[in-house]
Amino acid sequence: MSHPLIIIGAGIAGLWTALHAAPRRVILLTGARLGEGSSTGWAQGGVAAALGTDDRPSLHARDTIAAGAGLVYEAAAYLLAEAGPAEIEALYGLGAPFEREADGSWSLSREAAHSRARVARVKGDQAGAGILAALIRAVQAAPHIEIREGWRASGLIPDAAGGCAGVMAFDPSGNLHDLLASDVVLATGSLCGLYGVTTTPASSQGQALSWAARLGAVIQDPEFVQFHPTAIDVGRDPAPLATEALRGEGATLIDRTGTRFMRGVHPQAELAPRDVVARAVHRQVKTGRGAYLDARAAVGAEFPERFPAVFAACRAAGIDPRLAPIPVAPAAHYHMGGVAADTEGFTGVPGLWAVGECASTGVHGANRLASNSLLEGLVFGRRAAEALANAPQRALKPVPADPAPALPAEALARLRAAMAIEAGVEREAAGLARLLDTINALEAKHGEADALIAARFVAAGAMLRTESRGGHFRSDHPSTSAVATHTRLTLAEARAVHPHISPLAEPAE
Ligand code: SIN
Protein backbone atom coordinates (compact mmCIF):
# COMPACT_ATOMS: atom_id res chain seq x y z
CA MET A 1 0.00 0.00 0.00
CA SER A 2 1.29 3.47 -0.84
CA HIS A 3 1.33 6.04 1.92
CA PRO A 4 1.44 9.79 1.32
CA LEU A 5 3.89 12.44 2.34
CA ILE A 6 2.31 14.44 5.16
CA ILE A 7 3.36 18.05 5.71
CA ILE A 8 2.33 19.72 8.96
CA GLY A 9 2.10 23.49 8.69
CA ALA A 10 0.98 25.94 6.03
CA GLY A 11 3.46 28.81 6.29
CA ILE A 12 5.99 29.51 3.59
CA ALA A 13 8.13 26.44 4.34
CA GLY A 14 5.24 23.97 4.38
CA LEU A 15 3.57 25.35 1.27
CA TRP A 16 6.79 25.58 -0.74
CA THR A 17 7.76 22.04 0.23
CA ALA A 18 4.30 20.80 -0.77
CA LEU A 19 4.44 22.54 -4.15
CA HIS A 20 7.80 21.07 -5.08
CA ALA A 21 7.24 17.53 -3.81
CA ALA A 22 5.36 16.37 -6.94
CA PRO A 23 4.96 13.62 -8.04
CA ARG A 24 4.61 12.56 -4.40
CA ARG A 25 1.05 12.58 -3.11
CA VAL A 26 1.00 15.22 -0.38
CA ILE A 27 -1.46 15.71 2.46
CA LEU A 28 -1.07 19.17 3.94
CA LEU A 29 -2.39 19.55 7.48
CA THR A 30 -3.18 22.95 8.89
CA GLY A 31 -4.95 23.47 12.19
CA ALA A 32 -6.22 26.88 11.09
CA ARG A 33 -7.69 28.01 7.79
CA LEU A 34 -5.14 28.42 5.01
CA GLY A 35 -3.54 31.82 5.39
CA GLU A 36 -4.20 32.02 9.12
CA GLY A 37 -2.18 30.95 12.14
CA SER A 38 1.29 31.13 10.61
CA SER A 39 4.01 33.73 11.20
CA THR A 40 4.54 33.99 7.44
CA GLY A 41 1.37 35.99 6.95
CA TRP A 42 2.55 38.52 9.53
CA ALA A 43 6.01 39.06 8.08
CA GLN A 44 6.53 42.71 7.28
CA GLY A 45 10.09 43.24 6.05
CA GLY A 46 10.39 40.87 3.10
CA VAL A 47 12.79 38.32 1.67
CA ALA A 48 16.54 38.90 1.69
CA ALA A 49 18.38 38.03 -1.54
CA ALA A 50 21.34 39.42 -3.47
CA LEU A 51 19.27 41.13 -6.16
CA GLY A 52 20.92 44.56 -6.34
CA THR A 53 23.53 45.46 -8.93
CA ASP A 54 25.96 46.20 -6.07
CA ASP A 55 25.34 42.85 -4.41
CA ARG A 56 26.49 39.24 -4.68
CA PRO A 57 25.40 36.01 -2.94
CA SER A 58 28.84 35.76 -1.37
CA LEU A 59 28.25 39.13 0.37
CA HIS A 60 24.85 37.94 1.59
CA ALA A 61 26.42 34.72 2.90
CA ARG A 62 29.16 36.72 4.59
CA ASP A 63 26.63 38.94 6.39
CA THR A 64 24.62 35.86 7.42
CA ILE A 65 27.74 34.24 8.86
CA ALA A 66 28.80 37.41 10.67
CA ALA A 67 25.38 37.90 12.26
CA GLY A 68 25.34 34.28 13.44
CA ALA A 69 28.21 34.93 15.88
CA GLY A 70 30.38 31.91 15.20
CA LEU A 71 27.66 29.26 14.99
CA VAL A 72 26.53 29.49 11.37
CA TYR A 73 27.05 26.34 9.35
CA GLU A 74 28.77 28.11 6.49
CA ALA A 75 27.80 25.65 3.76
CA ALA A 76 24.14 26.25 4.64
CA ALA A 77 24.62 30.03 4.51
CA TYR A 78 26.12 29.80 1.01
CA LEU A 79 23.30 27.51 -0.15
CA LEU A 80 20.80 30.02 1.21
CA ALA A 81 22.41 33.07 -0.35
CA GLU A 82 23.12 31.48 -3.73
CA ALA A 83 19.57 30.19 -4.15
CA GLY A 84 17.99 33.48 -3.01
CA PRO A 85 17.60 35.40 -6.30
CA ALA A 86 16.07 32.44 -8.16
CA GLU A 87 13.57 31.86 -5.35
CA ILE A 88 12.40 35.48 -5.55
CA GLU A 89 11.99 35.13 -9.32
CA ALA A 90 10.02 31.91 -8.78
CA LEU A 91 7.69 33.56 -6.25
CA TYR A 92 7.26 36.58 -8.50
CA GLY A 93 6.36 34.20 -11.31
CA LEU A 94 3.63 32.75 -9.08
CA GLY A 95 2.19 36.22 -8.59
CA ALA A 96 3.81 37.42 -5.35
CA PRO A 97 3.69 41.17 -5.97
CA PHE A 98 7.26 42.20 -5.12
CA GLU A 99 7.85 45.89 -5.76
CA ARG A 100 9.91 46.92 -8.76
CA GLU A 101 11.40 50.23 -9.80
CA ALA A 102 10.45 52.04 -13.01
CA ASP A 103 13.49 50.53 -14.76
CA GLY A 104 12.38 47.00 -13.82
CA SER A 105 14.95 46.48 -11.08
CA TRP A 106 13.80 45.20 -7.66
CA SER A 107 12.87 47.71 -4.97
CA LEU A 108 15.06 46.75 -2.05
CA SER A 109 14.98 47.76 1.61
CA ARG A 110 17.94 48.00 3.94
CA GLU A 111 17.73 46.12 7.23
CA ALA A 112 20.08 45.74 10.18
CA ALA A 113 23.45 44.04 9.74
CA HIS A 114 23.04 43.72 5.95
CA SER A 115 25.93 45.36 4.11
CA ARG A 116 23.62 46.12 1.15
CA ALA A 117 19.99 47.00 0.56
CA ARG A 118 18.73 43.49 -0.26
CA VAL A 119 15.26 42.92 1.14
CA ALA A 120 12.66 42.43 -1.59
CA ARG A 121 9.41 43.87 -0.31
CA VAL A 122 5.72 43.83 -1.08
CA LYS A 123 3.55 46.95 -0.71
CA GLY A 124 5.83 48.43 1.94
CA ASP A 125 5.29 46.10 4.91
CA GLN A 126 2.95 43.50 3.38
CA ALA A 127 5.51 40.88 2.30
CA GLY A 128 4.16 37.93 4.25
CA ALA A 129 0.53 38.47 3.32
CA GLY A 130 1.34 39.01 -0.38
CA ILE A 131 3.57 35.95 -0.61
CA LEU A 132 1.15 33.75 1.30
CA ALA A 133 -1.74 34.69 -0.99
CA ALA A 134 0.30 33.66 -4.05
CA LEU A 135 1.36 30.39 -2.42
CA ILE A 136 -2.18 29.53 -1.40
CA ARG A 137 -3.44 30.01 -4.95
CA ALA A 138 -0.67 27.70 -6.17
CA VAL A 139 -1.25 24.87 -3.67
CA GLN A 140 -5.00 25.01 -4.23
CA ALA A 141 -4.38 24.46 -7.93
CA ALA A 142 -1.81 21.67 -7.48
CA PRO A 143 -3.33 18.24 -8.20
CA HIS A 144 -0.79 16.33 -6.08
CA ILE A 145 -1.74 18.22 -2.88
CA GLU A 146 -4.71 17.43 -0.66
CA ILE A 147 -5.27 20.29 1.79
CA ARG A 148 -6.89 19.47 5.11
CA GLU A 149 -7.86 22.73 6.80
CA GLY A 150 -8.86 22.65 10.44
CA TRP A 151 -6.92 19.39 11.00
CA ARG A 152 -4.87 19.91 14.14
CA ALA A 153 -1.82 17.64 14.33
CA SER A 154 -1.24 16.46 17.88
CA GLY A 155 1.76 14.15 17.69
CA LEU A 156 3.70 11.65 15.62
CA ILE A 157 3.09 7.92 15.33
CA PRO A 158 6.21 5.92 16.19
CA ASP A 159 7.35 3.05 13.97
CA ALA A 160 8.27 -0.31 15.51
CA ALA A 161 11.48 -0.33 13.46
CA GLY A 162 12.40 3.13 14.77
CA GLY A 163 11.34 6.35 13.11
CA CYS A 164 8.07 7.93 12.22
CA ALA A 165 5.03 6.15 10.77
CA GLY A 166 2.62 9.07 10.53
CA VAL A 167 0.70 11.76 12.36
CA MET A 168 -2.05 11.83 14.99
CA ALA A 169 -4.47 14.62 14.12
CA PHE A 170 -7.85 15.90 15.21
CA ASP A 171 -10.28 16.58 12.38
CA PRO A 172 -12.42 19.76 12.42
CA SER A 173 -15.09 17.90 14.44
CA GLY A 174 -12.57 16.95 17.12
CA ASN A 175 -12.22 13.27 16.19
CA LEU A 176 -8.71 11.84 16.50
CA HIS A 177 -7.22 10.06 13.47
CA ASP A 178 -4.04 8.10 12.89
CA LEU A 179 -2.76 9.21 9.47
CA LEU A 180 -0.04 6.88 8.23
CA ALA A 181 2.71 8.43 6.14
CA SER A 182 5.83 7.19 4.47
CA ASP A 183 7.43 10.53 5.31
CA VAL A 184 6.37 13.42 7.54
CA VAL A 185 7.65 16.98 7.14
CA LEU A 186 7.44 19.25 10.17
CA ALA A 187 6.88 22.85 9.12
CA THR A 188 5.17 24.10 12.25
CA GLY A 189 7.13 27.32 12.67
CA SER A 190 8.08 29.04 15.86
CA LEU A 191 8.02 28.45 19.59
CA CYS A 192 7.77 32.13 20.46
CA GLY A 193 4.11 31.75 21.46
CA LEU A 194 5.56 30.20 24.63
CA TYR A 195 6.62 33.72 25.62
CA GLY A 196 4.35 36.18 27.36
CA VAL A 197 5.48 38.89 24.93
CA THR A 198 5.73 37.73 21.34
CA THR A 199 5.18 38.88 17.78
CA THR A 200 4.16 35.40 16.58
CA PRO A 201 0.78 33.66 16.61
CA ALA A 202 -0.18 32.31 20.05
CA SER A 203 -0.45 28.81 18.59
CA SER A 204 3.29 28.73 17.75
CA GLN A 205 4.42 26.73 20.75
CA GLY A 206 7.31 24.62 19.53
CA GLN A 207 5.20 21.55 18.83
CA ALA A 208 7.75 20.20 16.33
CA LEU A 209 10.50 20.13 18.95
CA SER A 210 8.42 18.08 21.32
CA TRP A 211 7.08 15.66 18.72
CA ALA A 212 10.46 15.07 17.10
CA ALA A 213 12.30 14.74 20.42
CA ARG A 214 9.82 12.11 21.60
CA LEU A 215 10.87 10.05 18.55
CA GLY A 216 14.55 10.45 19.40
CA ALA A 217 15.47 13.50 17.29
CA VAL A 218 18.19 15.83 18.51
CA ILE A 219 17.24 19.43 19.31
CA GLN A 220 19.94 21.90 18.35
CA ASP A 221 20.69 25.31 19.91
CA PRO A 222 17.27 25.69 21.57
CA GLU A 223 18.49 28.57 23.76
CA PHE A 224 18.82 30.87 20.75
CA VAL A 225 15.60 32.85 20.63
CA GLN A 226 15.62 36.12 18.72
CA PHE A 227 13.89 39.10 20.31
CA HIS A 228 12.70 41.75 17.91
CA PRO A 229 13.69 45.14 19.34
CA THR A 230 10.70 47.08 18.11
CA ALA A 231 7.45 45.35 18.96
CA ILE A 232 4.84 48.05 19.48
CA ASP A 233 4.41 48.30 23.24
CA VAL A 234 0.68 48.83 23.63
CA GLY A 235 -0.22 45.79 25.75
CA ARG A 236 -1.51 43.63 22.90
CA ASP A 237 -0.91 39.85 22.82
CA PRO A 238 0.62 39.02 20.38
CA ALA A 239 2.38 42.37 20.07
CA PRO A 240 2.24 44.09 16.67
CA LEU A 241 5.57 44.68 14.99
CA ALA A 242 7.20 47.88 13.79
CA THR A 243 9.35 46.52 10.99
CA GLU A 244 13.09 46.99 10.99
CA ALA A 245 12.71 48.49 7.51
CA LEU A 246 11.56 51.65 9.31
CA ARG A 247 15.02 51.95 10.83
CA GLY A 248 16.42 51.15 7.39
CA GLU A 249 14.55 54.25 6.18
CA GLY A 250 16.14 56.35 8.91
CA ALA A 251 13.71 56.05 11.85
CA THR A 252 15.59 56.47 15.12
CA LEU A 253 15.33 55.01 18.61
CA ILE A 254 14.94 57.64 21.29
CA ASP A 255 14.32 57.75 25.02
CA ARG A 256 11.74 59.82 26.87
CA THR A 257 13.85 62.94 26.52
CA GLY A 258 14.25 62.49 22.76
CA THR A 259 17.90 61.34 22.95
CA ARG A 260 19.07 58.69 20.47
CA PHE A 261 20.35 55.96 22.78
CA MET A 262 21.79 53.55 20.17
CA ARG A 263 24.50 56.04 19.24
CA GLY A 264 26.39 55.28 22.42
CA VAL A 265 25.90 51.52 22.10
CA HIS A 266 27.13 50.46 18.65
CA PRO A 267 28.81 52.11 15.64
CA GLN A 268 25.88 51.05 13.44
CA ALA A 269 23.45 52.66 15.92
CA GLU A 270 19.85 51.69 15.04
CA LEU A 271 21.11 49.30 12.35
CA ALA A 272 23.31 47.29 14.71
CA PRO A 273 22.66 43.51 14.82
CA ARG A 274 19.21 42.71 16.16
CA ASP A 275 20.41 41.20 19.46
CA VAL A 276 22.41 44.32 20.25
CA VAL A 277 19.45 46.61 19.59
CA ALA A 278 17.08 44.32 21.51
CA ARG A 279 19.31 44.38 24.60
CA ALA A 280 19.62 48.15 24.46
CA VAL A 281 15.85 48.60 24.13
CA HIS A 282 15.31 46.07 26.95
CA ARG A 283 17.60 48.06 29.26
CA GLN A 284 15.89 51.32 28.37
CA VAL A 285 12.50 49.86 29.25
CA LYS A 286 13.76 48.10 32.40
CA THR A 287 15.38 51.23 33.80
CA GLY A 288 12.35 53.42 33.03
CA ARG A 289 14.16 55.61 30.49
CA GLY A 290 11.72 54.44 27.83
CA ALA A 291 12.22 53.39 24.20
CA TYR A 292 10.42 54.91 21.22
CA LEU A 293 10.76 54.51 17.50
CA ASP A 294 10.68 57.94 15.93
CA ALA A 295 9.71 57.83 12.26
CA ARG A 296 8.37 61.38 12.08
CA ALA A 297 11.24 62.80 10.04
CA ALA A 298 12.20 59.65 8.12
CA VAL A 299 8.72 58.58 6.98
CA GLY A 300 6.29 61.24 8.23
CA ALA A 301 3.23 61.90 6.09
CA GLU A 302 3.97 58.93 3.81
CA PHE A 303 3.48 56.45 6.66
CA PRO A 304 0.01 55.17 5.63
CA GLU A 305 1.13 54.34 2.07
CA ARG A 306 4.62 53.09 2.81
CA PHE A 307 3.99 51.05 5.98
CA PRO A 308 0.26 50.31 6.04
CA ALA A 309 0.37 47.40 8.52
CA VAL A 310 2.44 49.33 11.09
CA PHE A 311 0.29 52.40 10.56
CA ALA A 312 -2.92 50.43 11.16
CA ALA A 313 -1.49 48.83 14.33
CA CYS A 314 -0.47 52.23 15.66
CA ARG A 315 -3.80 53.86 14.84
CA ALA A 316 -5.67 50.99 16.53
CA ALA A 317 -3.69 51.84 19.68
CA GLY A 318 -4.43 55.56 19.39
CA ILE A 319 -0.94 56.50 18.14
CA ASP A 320 -0.33 58.57 15.02
CA PRO A 321 3.24 57.68 13.98
CA ARG A 322 3.34 60.66 11.61
CA LEU A 323 3.14 62.93 14.65
CA ALA A 324 4.41 60.94 17.62
CA PRO A 325 7.13 58.39 18.39
CA ILE A 326 5.96 54.76 18.76
CA PRO A 327 6.52 53.10 22.17
CA VAL A 328 8.50 49.89 21.62
CA ALA A 329 9.79 46.91 23.61
CA PRO A 330 11.54 43.67 22.65
CA ALA A 331 9.35 40.62 21.99
CA ALA A 332 10.15 36.97 21.22
CA HIS A 333 10.12 36.86 17.44
CA TYR A 334 12.05 33.95 15.98
CA HIS A 335 13.67 30.69 17.07
CA MET A 336 17.12 30.03 15.62
CA GLY A 337 17.25 26.63 17.33
CA GLY A 338 15.02 23.72 16.52
CA VAL A 339 14.93 20.14 15.34
CA ALA A 340 18.43 19.35 14.10
CA ALA A 341 18.20 18.81 10.34
CA ASP A 342 20.60 18.60 7.44
CA THR A 343 20.33 20.96 4.48
CA GLU A 344 17.69 18.71 2.93
CA GLY A 345 15.61 18.77 6.10
CA PHE A 346 16.34 15.19 7.19
CA THR A 347 16.31 14.87 10.98
CA GLY A 348 18.14 11.56 11.27
CA VAL A 349 14.89 9.87 12.40
CA PRO A 350 13.69 7.60 9.57
CA GLY A 351 10.71 9.19 7.83
CA LEU A 352 10.98 12.52 9.69
CA TRP A 353 11.95 15.84 8.10
CA ALA A 354 11.87 19.42 9.33
CA VAL A 355 11.92 22.68 7.36
CA GLY A 356 11.66 26.38 8.08
CA GLU A 357 11.72 27.90 11.53
CA CYS A 358 11.11 24.67 13.45
CA ALA A 359 14.27 23.17 11.93
CA SER A 360 17.83 23.98 12.91
CA THR A 361 20.14 23.52 9.94
CA GLY A 362 22.63 25.90 11.56
CA VAL A 363 22.01 28.49 8.83
CA HIS A 364 21.24 31.24 11.36
CA GLY A 365 23.73 30.30 14.05
CA ALA A 366 23.23 32.33 17.20
CA ASN A 367 21.40 35.21 15.57
CA ARG A 368 19.34 35.33 12.38
CA LEU A 369 19.97 38.09 9.89
CA ALA A 370 16.82 40.10 9.20
CA SER A 371 14.56 38.79 6.43
CA ASN A 372 16.50 35.53 6.05
CA SER A 373 13.62 33.54 7.52
CA LEU A 374 11.20 33.60 4.58
CA LEU A 375 14.16 32.79 2.34
CA GLU A 376 15.07 29.86 4.59
CA GLY A 377 11.56 28.45 4.15
CA LEU A 378 11.89 28.69 0.38
CA VAL A 379 15.42 27.36 -0.05
CA PHE A 380 15.33 24.51 2.45
CA GLY A 381 11.68 23.72 1.69
CA ARG A 382 12.56 23.21 -1.97
CA ARG A 383 15.64 21.14 -1.10
CA ALA A 384 13.59 18.87 1.18
CA ALA A 385 10.90 18.52 -1.49
CA GLU A 386 13.45 17.56 -4.12
CA ALA A 387 14.92 14.95 -1.80
CA LEU A 388 11.46 13.60 -1.03
CA ALA A 389 9.90 13.76 -4.49
CA ASN A 390 11.15 10.37 -5.57
CA ALA A 391 12.01 8.87 -2.18
CA PRO A 392 11.12 5.16 -1.93
CA GLN A 393 8.10 4.11 0.10
CA ARG A 394 8.93 2.87 3.60
CA ALA A 395 7.29 -0.27 4.99
CA LEU A 396 5.43 0.95 8.08
CA LYS A 397 4.88 -0.80 11.40
CA PRO A 398 2.94 1.83 13.35
CA VAL A 399 2.97 1.61 17.14
CA PRO A 400 -0.25 2.85 18.78
CA ALA A 401 0.31 6.12 20.66
CA ASP A 402 -1.76 8.79 22.36
CA PRO A 403 -1.40 12.56 21.98
CA ALA A 404 0.36 14.37 24.82
CA PRO A 405 -1.84 15.95 27.47
CA ALA A 406 -2.95 19.52 26.73
CA LEU A 407 -1.79 22.29 29.04
CA PRO A 408 -4.76 24.12 30.58
CA ALA A 409 -5.00 27.84 29.77
CA GLU A 410 -3.99 29.06 33.23
CA ALA A 411 -0.94 26.77 33.28
CA LEU A 412 0.08 28.01 29.82
CA ALA A 413 -0.26 31.60 31.03
CA ARG A 414 2.03 30.81 33.94
CA LEU A 415 4.57 29.18 31.65
CA ARG A 416 4.50 32.14 29.24
CA ALA A 417 5.05 34.63 32.05
CA ALA A 418 7.97 32.59 33.41
CA MET A 419 9.56 32.24 29.97
CA ALA A 420 9.38 35.99 29.38
CA ILE A 421 10.93 36.82 32.74
CA GLU A 422 13.53 34.07 33.09
CA ALA A 423 14.48 33.11 29.52
CA GLY A 424 14.10 36.52 27.88
CA VAL A 425 16.57 39.00 26.46
CA GLU A 426 18.83 38.51 29.52
CA ARG A 427 19.10 35.26 31.46
CA GLU A 428 21.01 34.02 34.51
CA ALA A 429 21.37 30.70 36.32
CA ALA A 430 19.06 31.44 39.25
CA GLY A 431 16.24 32.59 36.97
CA LEU A 432 16.65 29.61 34.67
CA ALA A 433 16.49 27.31 37.72
CA ARG A 434 13.24 29.04 38.72
CA LEU A 435 11.91 28.50 35.20
CA LEU A 436 12.82 24.82 35.27
CA ASP A 437 11.16 24.54 38.69
CA THR A 438 8.01 25.98 37.15
CA ILE A 439 8.19 23.56 34.23
CA ASN A 440 8.74 20.61 36.59
CA ALA A 441 5.86 21.68 38.82
CA LEU A 442 3.49 22.14 35.87
CA GLU A 443 4.54 18.79 34.49
CA ALA A 444 3.97 17.04 37.82
CA LYS A 445 0.45 18.45 37.85
CA HIS A 446 -0.58 18.31 34.18
CA GLY A 447 1.68 15.69 32.57
CA GLU A 448 4.37 16.15 29.95
CA ALA A 449 2.56 18.55 27.61
CA ASP A 450 4.25 19.51 24.34
CA ALA A 451 4.57 23.16 25.43
CA LEU A 452 6.45 22.05 28.55
CA ILE A 453 8.89 19.96 26.54
CA ALA A 454 9.62 22.80 24.14
CA ALA A 455 10.07 25.26 27.02
CA ARG A 456 12.32 22.78 28.81
CA PHE A 457 14.65 22.62 25.81
CA VAL A 458 15.01 26.41 25.78
CA ALA A 459 15.64 26.59 29.52
CA ALA A 460 18.02 23.63 29.56
CA GLY A 461 20.01 24.95 26.60
CA ALA A 462 20.21 28.39 28.20
CA MET A 463 21.34 26.86 31.50
CA LEU A 464 24.05 24.80 29.83
CA ARG A 465 25.42 27.67 27.72
CA THR A 466 27.56 29.52 30.23
CA GLU A 467 28.57 32.30 27.85
CA SER A 468 26.85 35.07 25.91
CA ARG A 469 26.58 34.81 22.14
CA GLY A 470 24.16 36.22 19.60
CA GLY A 471 20.60 36.08 20.86
CA HIS A 472 21.59 34.35 24.12
CA PHE A 473 22.81 36.75 26.80
CA ARG A 474 23.71 35.46 30.25
CA SER A 475 24.07 38.34 32.70
CA ASP A 476 26.09 35.99 34.93
CA HIS A 477 28.34 34.99 31.98
CA PRO A 478 28.51 38.10 29.80
CA SER A 479 31.60 37.17 27.79
CA THR A 480 31.81 35.04 24.65
CA SER A 481 33.82 31.83 24.74
CA ALA A 482 36.77 31.60 22.37
CA VAL A 483 35.40 28.40 20.87
CA ALA A 484 31.85 28.33 19.51
CA THR A 485 29.99 25.07 20.06
CA HIS A 486 26.47 23.96 19.27
CA THR A 487 24.08 22.69 21.92
CA ARG A 488 22.66 19.32 20.91
CA LEU A 489 20.20 17.70 23.30
CA THR A 490 17.98 14.64 23.28
CA LEU A 491 14.84 14.71 25.39
CA ALA A 492 16.49 12.55 28.06
CA GLU A 493 19.43 14.94 28.21
CA ALA A 494 17.16 17.99 28.51
CA ARG A 495 15.16 16.32 31.28
CA ALA A 496 18.39 15.60 33.18
CA VAL A 497 19.50 19.26 33.34
CA HIS A 498 17.31 20.21 36.32
CA PRO A 499 15.12 17.21 37.04
CA HIS A 500 13.88 18.01 40.54
CA ILE A 501 11.84 20.86 41.91
CA SER A 502 13.97 23.04 44.21
CA PRO A 503 12.77 22.96 47.84
CA LEU A 504 11.88 26.68 47.76
CA ALA A 505 9.95 26.58 44.48
CA GLU A 506 6.35 27.77 44.46
CA PRO A 507 3.66 25.12 43.90
CA ALA A 508 2.20 24.79 40.38
CA GLU A 509 -0.98 26.80 41.05
C1 SIN B 1 11.00 43.03 10.38
O1 SIN B 1 10.33 43.35 9.41
O2 SIN B 1 11.56 43.80 11.13
C2 SIN B 1 11.14 41.57 10.68
C3 SIN B 1 11.86 40.92 9.60
C4 SIN B 1 12.45 39.64 10.10
O3 SIN B 1 12.18 39.22 11.22
O4 SIN B 1 13.24 39.08 9.37
Side-chain angles (χ1 to χ4, degrees), residues 191 193-195 202-211 214 404-408 411-413 415-416 419 435 439 442-443 447-459:
L191 59 59
L194 293 174
Y195 279 83
S203 56
S204 300
Q205 294 175 8
Q207 291 86 343
L209 273 68
S210 173
W211 299 341
R214 288 177 198 271
L407 202 56
L412 179 62
L415 176 69
R416 293 183 71 206
M419 288 288 283
L435 173 57
I439 293 169
L442 291 172
E443 192 176 291
E448 200 172 32
D450 288 324
L452 294 175
I453 289 188
R456 181 182 296 284
F457 273 111
V458 176

Side-chain angles (χ1 to χ4, degrees), residues 380-392:
F380 294 107
R382 185 194 288 269
R383 290 177 63 83
E386 286 172 358
L388 282 160
N390 296 300

Side-chain angles (χ1 to χ4, degrees), residues 252-261 289 292 294 296 325:
T252 54
L253 283 164
I254 57 173
D255 66 14
R256 258 181 235 306
T257 68
T259 305
R260 279 179 68 183
F261 56 83
R289 294 190 295 262
Y292 300 85
D294 187 356
R296 289 174 295 180

Side-chain angles (χ1 to χ4, degrees), residues 44-45 111 226 228 241-245 274 333 368-373:
Q44 293 183 353
E111 290 189 359
Q226 184 171 72
H228 197 291
L241 189 68
T243 176
E244 199 161 286
R274 196 170 273 185
H333 180 65
R368 176 181 61 90
L369 192 61
S371 290
N372 265 357
S373 47

Side-chain angles (χ1 to χ4, degrees), residues 105-371:
S105 61
W106 303 95
S107 300
L108 300 173
S109 306
R110 179 89 188 259
E111 290 189 359
H114 285 277
S115 59
R116 299 287 187 277
R118 66 162 71 95
V119 179
R121 58 176 190 251
V122 175
K123 294 185 196 151
D125 59 11
Q126 310 277 301
I131 292 168
L132 205 50
L135 290 176
I136 288 171
R137 284 193 300 273
V139 292
Q140 284 173 331
H144 69 286
I145 303 174
E146 178 190 338
I147 301 163
R148 296 202 187 171
E149 286 179 274
W151 280 67
R152 189 170 56 78
S154 56
L156 301 174
I157 302 169
D159 192 276
C164 179
V167 179
M168 293 175 268
F170 290 99
D171 68 22
S173 307
N175 303 308
L176 183 62
H177 299 260
D178 279 353
L179 306 174
L180 299 187
S182 185
D183 293 284
V184 172
V185 178
L186 301 170
T188 59
S190 186
L191 59 59
C192 292
L194 293 174
Y195 279 83
V197 185
T198 179
T199 61
T200 58
S203 56
S204 300
Q205 294 175 8
Q207 291 86 343
L209 273 68
S210 173
W211 299 341
R214 288 177 198 271
L215 287 197
V218 168
I219 304 304
Q220 181 166 270
D221 295 335
E223 64 276 25
F224 289 109
V225 174
Q226 184 171 72
F227 296 87
H228 197 291
T230 58
I232 303 176
D233 189 16
V234 287
R236 269 179 55 193
D237 178 25
L241 189 68
T243 176
E244 199 161 286
L246 282 159
R247 279 175 278 138
E249 291 297 313
T252 54
L253 283 164
I254 57 173
D255 66 14
R256 258 181 235 306
T257 68
T259 305
R260 279 179 68 183
F261 56 83
M262 282 309 299
R263 276 186 165 155
V265 175
H266 194 278
Q268 287 169 281
E270 282 85 359
L271 291 179
R274 196 170 273 185
D275 59 311
V276 175
V277 185
R279 273 195 298 283
V281 170
H282 170 73
R283 286 171 190 163
Q284 289 290 125
V285 173
K286 202 167 130 188
T287 55
R289 294 190 295 262
Y292 300 85
L293 184 66
D294 187 356
R296 289 174 295 180
V299 185
E302 294 173 8
F303 215 120
E305 293 75 43
R306 289 179 62 197
F307 295 96
V310 182
F311 187 72
C314 288
R315 295 305 287 143
I319 300 161
D320 187 337
R322 294 168 296 191
L323 306 174
I326 307 165
V328 291
H333 180 65
Y334 185 85
H335 192 213
M336 277 76 74
V339 182
D342 66 19
T343 54
E344 289 173 335
F346 183 53
T347 65
V349 174
L352 189 62
W353 306 68
V355 293
E357 187 170 348
C358 71
S360 175
T361 59
V363 72
H364 305 303
N367 192 20
R368 176 181 61 90
L369 192 61
S371 290

